[in-house]
Amino acid sequence: MSNGYDGKERFAMGTESGTASTSMNSIKFKEKKGIFLTWPVAILLALLVIGCLVAVGLIVAYTKPMCNTAAPGEAERLRATISKTDKDHPDSAGVPEPEETSTSSTKSRVKDVRLPSSLLPIHYNVELRPNLDPTVFMFDGSVAILMECTSPTDNVTLHINKLKVSNEILWSDDHDGKPSPKIKRTDFDKARQFIIFKLDGTLQPGKKYWVGMNYSGELAEDLTGIYRSKYTTSSGETRWIATSQMEPVDARKTFPCFDEPSLKATFSVTLVRWNNMTSLSNMELEKTENRGNGWTADYYKPSVKMPTYLLAFLICDFGFKDTTAQNGNVEVKVWARKAAVQQLDYALGSTSSIIDFYTEYFDIPFPLNKSDSVAVPDFAAGAMENWGLILYRETAFLYEPGISSELNKKRVCTVVAHELAHQWFGNLVSMAWWDDLWLNEGFASYVEYLGINHYEPSWQIMDQFLVDDFQNVMRLDALGSSHPIYLPVYHPDEINEIFDKISYSKGAAIIRMMNYLLGEGTFRRGLTEYLRNNSYGNARTVDLWDFLSAQATKDGVNINVRQVMDTWTLQMGFPVVTVTRTYGSQPSISLRQKHFLIDPTAKVSTKYENKFNYIWQVPFTFATQRSSASHWNRPNVEWLKERTRKLDTRVADRDWIIGNLGVFGYYRTNYDDRNWQMLINQLNTDHTVIPVKNRAQLLDDSFALSRAGHMDIVQSLELTEYLGKETEYLPWESALTSFNYINEMLGRTGAYGMFQKYMISQILPLYNSSGWRDTGNEPQLDT
């Protein structure tokens, strides 16, 4: 899922580039005006705006007063009861379930929220009928669930939330003539969101049973489960649609079910709609039936095996554009309000092309025969990867050339690439439980860059990872209140709490690091084996590590992936690696790692167990002033697995050292003062000797280190003296993000004028070389 807060739909926040802080991308112009600025111009304007704001602030300050398919005909047992309400849709539908009769009415948050393991779902027959009449706004339906009994039990327990049920029935799938137990009582456990059918007998292991019921609920505007959404036509008419969002735990708000990611099953879906509307679901339409009284039922083919959180339902009056992928084997459609259909071309092209790319990358065909993608007017997340029916927020899917900005184009491509990555990593193989959410989201957050790079190779998007995700999440992860990537989850409320930058961006950063350590070929082959061996099933983080380790061994790469990655996933934060050199007749290089905190006095959270005591297995790489180009591209890895280590390397006193080549390691690097000064001299003499990503990281590291008291702020500022000669985007973006802190600190001091003059003098050369004219042919990073 693309998270609307700060995951892959991070663009919804203050800066659409994905950075949390103000930078050159923070200045926005109304897209309808068609104004485009080069980023050097935007830099200058940003400084002028900052100056005006500070001036106003000073005036105010000094003037204020101090698949197993269902048995034929089973759904008919329930449809007969639903048909009774077709004509007179009762006003009582949707009333919440009665007060619980169990003893679990405690006010505190319960921990044991997992379903009993005595029954496993095999197949669902689900029928839904949303009523979009504004005087009604309800939905009703039926569900019949085929289950296998794994241990004796005298109850059937399902998830439910905000639904009213009726006509509960249990029957055996075995045709041996023996009667099955009957439902004698229905209880509700509100704290755990359970509906419990108490039986008058015991279900037997190895046997299969059906449980079915009718249900109804409110078609609310709460953006969860099945809900209503609206848009306004050009003539001012309000139109309503029904759409859905099940992840993480809102399928139970749509129909009673086994609502856990490991409890996968197949689904046969029927959507009942008004005759003048269209319905969509995960699979292809199988047949249509006229139900009378203006209603039509659309029957969808049985689904592949999947969890409830990937189900999707849509009833709308939208238009679409279509093409194919995988040599015509996958039908690709993109949908939107009819007035916005002309804005779908970019999404259509990127979707079909990236499906083809991922098919080749994972070496596994797209698992379905069709892919629908829909821009929905009201959507809580940026997008949701429902198998075969991806739903997007409109701002993450619509793009109109000549009107929309380049930033909006990047946003659409990013979210499309993220959601399509999930079709394999997350859908084909799903997490076993929500504590492995990071594996789904972190992986998709990394692979999206591969998808974008395929479709827009001129964007240099792999380099942009550094400022959009890597540096961005480090600012959060340097707080004492951060948390590990892997988090135990005990309650549904805790699931939404971990859809954050740590799961998305830090997850992506350490997967990128592992790709670098293993090599692209080993990494890809290990992923393919992992996906093939777990297809249509579930896996945990350790399963991926084991497959990558096995592939590494096969390919002759000496690395225990699990041992390394556990130190990065099971403890929060990251280290600063300090490189200390001795000079003279006996030169040496020592490394020391320490948990980096932006505020060294901050109290570090003790909420999470940490058996590693903030020691990481750090893959340290470095180059010197005299290193060859081939060394920069593929250096030896010096593992720092303890607090300190000495390197068996000698470097001439006159030569500098720089660490973390290519910035693949998730750590900051500090140096002794003499080495810092040599790096500063190199930037001033010929900054191009140091590659662009490492120039950007030198700036970001130095300002973070000075804020944390690890180095003098004067040295950090001296590092920026070369910027007047810098023409690349990454170092400037890193510098301007870092300068925000300086701007805030100096804003109410007499030194602020000098700071403004310094910044303008550094930016003017770039500004003068770029100018105001937009030819339409500039590289994406220049716009």
PDB file of all heavy atoms in Angstrom, residues 596-620:
ATOM      1  N   PHE A 596      23.912   6.552  16.539  1.00  0.00           N
ATOM      2  CA  PHE A 596      23.834   7.987  16.252  1.00  0.00           C
ATOM      3  C   PHE A 596      22.499   8.558  16.701  1.00  0.00           C
ATOM      4  O   PHE A 596      21.437   8.069  16.308  1.00  0.00           O
ATOM      5  CB  PHE A 596      24.013   8.253  14.755  1.00  0.00           C
ATOM      6  CG  PHE A 596      23.923   9.713  14.407  1.00  0.00           C
ATOM      7  CD1 PHE A 596      25.000  10.548  14.630  1.00  0.00           C
ATOM      8  CD2 PHE A 596      22.744  10.256  13.892  1.00  0.00           C
ATOM      9  CE1 PHE A 596      24.927  11.904  14.334  1.00  0.00           C
ATOM     10  CE2 PHE A 596      22.663  11.603  13.594  1.00  0.00           C
ATOM     11  CZ  PHE A 596      23.754  12.435  13.820  1.00  0.00           C
ATOM     12  N   LEU A 597      22.559   9.598  17.512  1.00  0.00           N
ATOM     13  CA  LEU A 597      21.374  10.330  17.949  1.00  0.00           C
ATOM     14  C   LEU A 597      21.568  11.793  17.623  1.00  0.00           C
ATOM     15  O   LEU A 597      22.612  12.373  17.931  1.00  0.00           O
ATOM     16  CB  LEU A 597      21.154  10.158  19.459  1.00  0.00           C
ATOM     17  CG  LEU A 597      20.797   8.750  19.943  1.00  0.00           C
ATOM     18  CD1 LEU A 597      20.881   8.686  21.460  1.00  0.00           C
ATOM     19  CD2 LEU A 597      19.403   8.362  19.467  1.00  0.00           C
ATOM     20  N   ILE A 598      20.578  12.409  17.007  1.00  0.00           N
ATOM     21  CA  ILE A 598      20.691  13.822  16.663  1.00  0.00           C
ATOM     22  C   ILE A 598      20.764  14.675  17.924  1.00  0.00           C
ATOM     23  O   ILE A 598      21.361  15.747  17.931  1.00  0.00           O
ATOM     24  CB  ILE A 598      19.513  14.270  15.755  1.00  0.00           C
ATOM     25  CG1 ILE A 598      19.839  15.563  15.030  1.00  0.00           C
ATOM     26  CG2 ILE A 598      18.220  14.354  16.529  1.00  0.00           C
ATOM     27  CD1 ILE A 598      20.949  15.451  14.019  1.00  0.00           C
ATOM     28  N   ASP A 599      20.158  14.177  19.002  1.00  0.00           N
ATOM     29  CA  ASP A 599      20.283  14.799  20.324  1.00  0.00           C
ATOM     30  C   ASP A 599      20.937  13.777  21.248  1.00  0.00           C
ATOM     31  O   ASP A 599      20.273  12.860  21.732  1.00  0.00           O
ATOM     32  CB  ASP A 599      18.910  15.197  20.866  1.00  0.00           C
ATOM     33  CG  ASP A 599      18.981  15.787  22.273  1.00  0.00           C
ATOM     34  OD1 ASP A 599      20.107  15.964  22.790  1.00  0.00           O
ATOM     35  OD2 ASP A 599      17.907  16.057  22.854  1.00  0.00           O
ATOM     36  N   PRO A 600      22.246  13.908  21.485  1.00  0.00           N
ATOM     37  CA  PRO A 600      22.953  12.899  22.293  1.00  0.00           C
ATOM     38  C   PRO A 600      22.426  12.762  23.713  1.00  0.00           C
ATOM     39  O   PRO A 600      22.669  11.746  24.367  1.00  0.00           O
ATOM     40  CB  PRO A 600      24.398  13.413  22.302  1.00  0.00           C
ATOM     41  CG  PRO A 600      24.493  14.348  21.150  1.00  0.00           C
ATOM     42  CD  PRO A 600      23.133  14.964  21.017  1.00  0.00           C
ATOM     43  N   THR A 601      21.692  13.775  24.196  1.00  0.00           N
ATOM     44  CA  THR A 601      21.159  13.708  25.555  1.00  0.00           C
ATOM     45  C   THR A 601      19.772  13.071  25.605  1.00  0.00           C
ATOM     46  O   THR A 601      19.197  12.911  26.687  1.00  0.00           O
ATOM     47  CB  THR A 601      21.077  15.115  26.171  1.00  0.00           C
ATOM     48  OG1 THR A 601      20.115  15.903  25.442  1.00  0.00           O
ATOM     49  CG2 THR A 601      22.442  15.801  26.125  1.00  0.00           C
ATOM     50  N   ALA A 602      19.223  12.735  24.447  1.00  0.00           N
ATOM     51  CA  ALA A 602      17.873  12.181  24.393  1.00  0.00           C
ATOM     52  C   ALA A 602      17.826  10.815  25.072  1.00  0.00           C
ATOM     53  O   ALA A 602      18.774  10.028  25.014  1.00  0.00           O
ATOM     54  CB  ALA A 602      17.406  12.051  22.946  1.00  0.00           C
ATOM     55  N   LYS A 603      16.697  10.552  25.710  1.00  0.00           N
ATOM     56  CA  LYS A 603      16.486   9.254  26.323  1.00  0.00           C
ATOM     57  C   LYS A 603      16.058   8.274  25.244  1.00  0.00           C
ATOM     58  O   LYS A 603      15.076   8.491  24.547  1.00  0.00           O
ATOM     59  CB  LYS A 603      15.416   9.348  27.413  1.00  0.00           C
ATOM     60  CG  LYS A 603      15.172   8.027  28.135  1.00  0.00           C
ATOM     61  CD  LYS A 603      14.113   8.184  29.222  1.00  0.00           C
ATOM     62  CE  LYS A 603      13.866   6.854  29.918  1.00  0.00           C
ATOM     63  NZ  LYS A 603      12.802   6.991  30.967  1.00  0.00           N
ATOM     64  N   VAL A 604      16.801   7.197  25.105  1.00  0.00           N
ATOM     65  CA  VAL A 604      16.508   6.206  24.082  1.00  0.00           C
ATOM     66  C   VAL A 604      15.405   5.281  24.588  1.00  0.00           C
ATOM     67  O   VAL A 604      15.458   4.784  25.713  1.00  0.00           O
ATOM     68  CB  VAL A 604      17.763   5.392  23.726  1.00  0.00           C
ATOM     69  CG1 VAL A 604      17.431   4.309  22.706  1.00  0.00           C
ATOM     70  CG2 VAL A 604      18.844   6.316  23.184  1.00  0.00           C
ATOM     71  N   SER A 605      14.401   5.081  23.742  1.00  0.00           N
ATOM     72  CA  SER A 605      13.280   4.251  24.125  1.00  0.00           C
ATOM     73  C   SER A 605      13.738   2.849  24.523  1.00  0.00           C
ATOM     74  O   SER A 605      14.567   2.234  23.846  1.00  0.00           O
ATOM     75  CB  SER A 605      12.282   4.147  22.963  1.00  0.00           C
ATOM     76  OG  SER A 605      11.262   3.221  23.249  1.00  0.00           O
ATOM     77  N   THR A 606      13.222   2.369  25.640  1.00  0.00           N
ATOM     78  CA  THR A 606      13.506   0.997  26.093  1.00  0.00           C
ATOM     79  C   THR A 606      12.301   0.080  25.868  1.00  0.00           C
ATOM     80  O   THR A 606      12.222  -0.995  26.434  1.00  0.00           O
ATOM     81  CB  THR A 606      13.883   1.007  27.581  1.00  0.00           C
ATOM     82  OG1 THR A 606      12.805   1.600  28.332  1.00  0.00           O
ATOM     83  CG2 THR A 606      15.166   1.788  27.812  1.00  0.00           C
ATOM     84  N   LYS A 607      11.384   0.540  25.037  1.00  0.00           N
ATOM     85  CA  LYS A 607      10.162  -0.212  24.781  1.00  0.00           C
ATOM     86  C   LYS A 607      10.448  -1.534  24.084  1.00  0.00           C
ATOM     87  O   LYS A 607       9.744  -2.514  24.262  1.00  0.00           O
ATOM     88  CB  LYS A 607       9.210   0.641  23.944  1.00  0.00           C
ATOM     89  CG  LYS A 607       7.874  -0.016  23.624  1.00  0.00           C
ATOM     90  CD  LYS A 607       6.989   0.937  22.819  1.00  0.00           C
ATOM     91  CE  LYS A 607       5.654   0.289  22.468  1.00  0.00           C
ATOM     92  NZ  LYS A 607       4.798   1.213  21.665  1.00  0.00           N
ATOM     93  N   TYR A 608      11.520  -1.559  23.273  1.00  0.00           N
ATOM     94  CA  TYR A 608      11.797  -2.731  22.457  1.00  0.00           C
ATOM     95  C   TYR A 608      13.080  -3.420  22.922  1.00  0.00           C
ATOM     96  O   TYR A 608      14.088  -2.769  23.185  1.00  0.00           O
ATOM     97  CB  TYR A 608      11.925  -2.328  20.984  1.00  0.00           C
ATOM     98  CG  TYR A 608      10.805  -1.452  20.513  1.00  0.00           C
ATOM     99  CD1 TYR A 608      10.991  -0.083  20.337  1.00  0.00           C
ATOM    100  CD2 TYR A 608       9.542  -1.975  20.277  1.00  0.00           C
ATOM    101  CE1 TYR A 608       9.945   0.735  19.921  1.00  0.00           C
ATOM    102  CE2 TYR A 608       8.498  -1.164  19.865  1.00  0.00           C
ATOM    103  CZ  TYR A 608       8.703   0.186  19.692  1.00  0.00           C
ATOM    104  OH  TYR A 608       7.669   0.995  19.292  1.00  0.00           O
ATOM    105  N   GLU A 609      13.028  -4.711  23.022  1.00  0.00           N
ATOM    106  CA  GLU A 609      14.196  -5.495  23.426  1.00  0.00           C
ATOM    107  C   GLU A 609      15.302  -5.338  22.390  1.00  0.00           C
ATOM    108  O   GLU A 609      15.056  -5.309  21.183  1.00  0.00           O
ATOM    109  CB  GLU A 609      13.796  -6.964  23.557  1.00  0.00           C
ATOM    110  CG  GLU A 609      14.944  -7.872  23.959  1.00  0.00           C
ATOM    111  CD  GLU A 609      14.553  -9.343  23.957  1.00  0.00           C
ATOM    112  OE1 GLU A 609      13.375  -9.643  23.640  1.00  0.00           O
ATOM    113  OE2 GLU A 609      15.415 -10.180  24.254  1.00  0.00           O
ATOM    114  N   ASN A 610      16.542  -5.227  22.844  1.00  0.00           N
ATOM    115  CA  ASN A 610      17.676  -5.080  21.934  1.00  0.00           C
ATOM    116  C   ASN A 610      18.821  -5.978  22.397  1.00  0.00           C
ATOM    117  O   ASN A 610      19.583  -5.616  23.278  1.00  0.00           O
ATOM    118  CB  ASN A 610      18.134  -3.619  21.875  1.00  0.00           C
ATOM    119  CG  ASN A 610      19.224  -3.407  20.838  1.00  0.00           C
ATOM    120  OD1 ASN A 610      19.753  -4.363  20.279  1.00  0.00           O
ATOM    121  ND2 ASN A 610      19.572  -2.162  20.594  1.00  0.00           N
ATOM    122  N   LYS A 611      18.913  -7.140  21.800  1.00  0.00           N
ATOM    123  CA  LYS A 611      19.960  -8.083  22.192  1.00  0.00           C
ATOM    124  C   LYS A 611      21.307  -7.762  21.559  1.00  0.00           C
ATOM    125  O   LYS A 611      22.319  -8.385  21.904  1.00  0.00           O
ATOM    126  CB  LYS A 611      19.540  -9.501  21.828  1.00  0.00           C
ATOM    127  CG  LYS A 611      19.412  -9.759  20.337  1.00  0.00           C
ATOM    128  CD  LYS A 611      18.984 -11.204  20.075  1.00  0.00           C
ATOM    129  CE  LYS A 611      18.879 -11.503  18.581  1.00  0.00           C
ATOM    130  NZ  LYS A 611      18.455 -12.903  18.336  1.00  0.00           N
ATOM    131  N   PHE A 612      21.338  -6.790  20.639  1.00  0.00           N
ATOM    132  CA  PHE A 612      22.588  -6.447  19.965  1.00  0.00           C
ATOM    133  C   PHE A 612      23.301  -5.264  20.610  1.00  0.00           C
ATOM    134  O   PHE A 612      24.419  -4.917  20.220  1.00  0.00           O
ATOM    135  CB  PHE A 612      22.324  -6.144  18.482  1.00  0.00           C
ATOM    136  CG  PHE A 612      21.734  -7.303  17.737  1.00  0.00           C
ATOM    137  CD1 PHE A 612      20.383  -7.328  17.403  1.00  0.00           C
ATOM    138  CD2 PHE A 612      22.514  -8.384  17.374  1.00  0.00           C
ATOM    139  CE1 PHE A 612      19.830  -8.394  16.724  1.00  0.00           C
ATOM    140  CE2 PHE A 612      21.973  -9.453  16.690  1.00  0.00           C
ATOM    141  CZ  PHE A 612      20.628  -9.466  16.366  1.00  0.00           C
ATOM    142  N   ASN A 613      22.655  -4.627  21.586  1.00  0.00           N
ATOM    143  CA  ASN A 613      23.288  -3.533  22.341  1.00  0.00           C
ATOM    144  C   ASN A 613      23.803  -2.424  21.424  1.00  0.00           C
ATOM    145  O   ASN A 613      24.866  -1.868  21.631  1.00  0.00           O
ATOM    146  CB  ASN A 613      24.424  -4.074  23.208  1.00  0.00           C
ATOM    147  CG  ASN A 613      24.818  -3.095  24.297  1.00  0.00           C
ATOM    148  OD1 ASN A 613      24.002  -2.279  24.745  1.00  0.00           O
ATOM    149  ND2 ASN A 613      26.066  -3.155  24.715  1.00  0.00           N
ATOM    150  N   TYR A 614      23.045  -2.132  20.380  1.00  0.00           N
ATOM    151  CA  TYR A 614      23.380  -1.079  19.424  1.00  0.00           C
ATOM    152  C   TYR A 614      24.766  -1.271  18.807  1.00  0.00           C
ATOM    153  O   TYR A 614      25.560  -0.336  18.688  1.00  0.00           O
ATOM    154  CB  TYR A 614      23.226   0.299  20.065  1.00  0.00           C
ATOM    155  CG  TYR A 614      21.781   0.594  20.386  1.00  0.00           C
ATOM    156  CD1 TYR A 614      21.319   0.562  21.705  1.00  0.00           C
ATOM    157  CD2 TYR A 614      20.855   0.842  19.382  1.00  0.00           C
ATOM    158  CE1 TYR A 614      19.982   0.797  22.004  1.00  0.00           C
ATOM    159  CE2 TYR A 614      19.521   1.065  19.665  1.00  0.00           C
ATOM    160  CZ  TYR A 614      19.101   1.036  20.979  1.00  0.00           C
ATOM    161  OH  TYR A 614      17.776   1.254  21.266  1.00  0.00           O
ATOM    162  N   ILE A 615      25.022  -2.503  18.421  1.00  0.00           N
ATOM    163  CA  ILE A 615      26.184  -2.821  17.591  1.00  0.00           C
ATOM    164  C   ILE A 615      25.647  -3.476  16.324  1.00  0.00           C
ATOM    165  O   ILE A 615      24.881  -4.436  16.382  1.00  0.00           O
ATOM    166  CB  ILE A 615      27.169  -3.768  18.307  1.00  0.00           C
ATOM    167  CG1 ILE A 615      27.771  -3.069  19.525  1.00  0.00           C
ATOM    168  CG2 ILE A 615      28.279  -4.215  17.352  1.00  0.00           C
ATOM    169  CD1 ILE A 615      28.704  -3.951  20.331  1.00  0.00           C
ATOM    170  N   TRP A 616      26.032  -2.933  15.189  1.00  0.00           N
ATOM    171  CA  TRP A 616      25.562  -3.422  13.901  1.00  0.00           C
ATOM    172  C   TRP A 616      26.685  -4.143  13.163  1.00  0.00           C
ATOM    173  O   TRP A 616      27.878  -3.890  13.427  1.00  0.00           O
ATOM    174  CB  TRP A 616      25.073  -2.263  13.028  1.00  0.00           C
ATOM    175  CG  TRP A 616      23.821  -1.608  13.492  1.00  0.00           C
ATOM    176  CD1 TRP A 616      22.553  -1.856  13.036  1.00  0.00           C
ATOM    177  CD2 TRP A 616      23.677  -0.575  14.484  1.00  0.00           C
ATOM    178  NE1 TRP A 616      21.648  -1.052  13.674  1.00  0.00           N
ATOM    179  CE2 TRP A 616      22.299  -0.259  14.578  1.00  0.00           C
ATOM    180  CE3 TRP A 616      24.577   0.101  15.309  1.00  0.00           C
ATOM    181  CZ2 TRP A 616      21.804   0.708  15.443  1.00  0.00           C
ATOM    182  CZ3 TRP A 616      24.094   1.054  16.190  1.00  0.00           C
ATOM    183  CH2 TRP A 616      22.714   1.352  16.251  1.00  0.00           C
ATOM    184  N   GLN A 617      26.328  -5.005  12.241  1.00  0.00           N
ATOM    185  CA  GLN A 617      27.310  -5.558  11.313  1.00  0.00           C
ATOM    186  C   GLN A 617      27.377  -4.594  10.137  1.00  0.00           C
ATOM    187  O   GLN A 617      26.524  -4.605   9.243  1.00  0.00           O
ATOM    188  CB  GLN A 617      26.922  -6.965  10.875  1.00  0.00           C
ATOM    189  CG  GLN A 617      26.997  -7.974  12.017  1.00  0.00           C
ATOM    190  CD  GLN A 617      27.137  -9.405  11.536  1.00  0.00           C
ATOM    191  OE1 GLN A 617      27.472  -9.668  10.383  1.00  0.00           O
ATOM    192  NE2 GLN A 617      26.898 -10.351  12.441  1.00  0.00           N
ATOM    193  N   VAL A 618      28.385  -3.734  10.174  1.00  0.00           N
ATOM    194  CA  VAL A 618      28.483  -2.608   9.245  1.00  0.00           C
ATOM    195  C   VAL A 618      29.385  -2.973   8.070  1.00  0.00           C
ATOM    196  O   VAL A 618      30.571  -3.295   8.256  1.00  0.00           O
ATOM    197  CB  VAL A 618      29.048  -1.362   9.953  1.00  0.00           C
ATOM    198  CG1 VAL A 618      29.118  -0.186   8.973  1.00  0.00           C
ATOM    199  CG2 VAL A 618      28.209  -1.007  11.172  1.00  0.00           C
ATOM    200  N   PRO A 619      28.864  -2.905   6.846  1.00  0.00           N
ATOM    201  CA  PRO A 619      29.704  -3.138   5.666  1.00  0.00           C
ATOM    202  C   PRO A 619      30.422  -1.842   5.278  1.00  0.00           C
ATOM    203  O   PRO A 619      29.910  -1.039   4.490  1.00  0.00           O
ATOM    204  CB  PRO A 619      28.689  -3.568   4.604  1.00  0.00           C
ATOM    205  CG  PRO A 619      27.425  -2.865   4.999  1.00  0.00           C
ATOM    206  CD  PRO A 619      27.445  -2.725   6.494  1.00  0.00           C
ATOM    207  N   PHE A 620      31.609  -1.641   5.814  1.00  0.00           N
ATOM    208  CA  PHE A 620      32.328  -0.383   5.592  1.00  0.00           C
ATOM    209  C   PHE A 620      33.152  -0.474   4.316  1.00  0.00           C
ATOM    210  O   PHE A 620      33.901  -1.432   4.098  1.00  0.00           O
ATOM    211  CB  PHE A 620      33.244  -0.075   6.778  1.00  0.00           C
ATOM    212  CG  PHE A 620      33.928   1.256   6.673  1.00  0.00           C
ATOM    213  CD1 PHE A 620      33.232   2.431   6.921  1.00  0.00           C
ATOM    214  CD2 PHE A 620      35.256   1.333   6.300  1.00  0.00           C
ATOM    215  CE1 PHE A 620      33.851   3.666   6.814  1.00  0.00           C
ATOM    216  CE2 PHE A 620      35.893   2.564   6.188  1.00  0.00           C
ATOM    217  CZ  PHE A 620      35.194   3.732   6.441  1.00  0.00           C
TER     218      PHE A 620
END
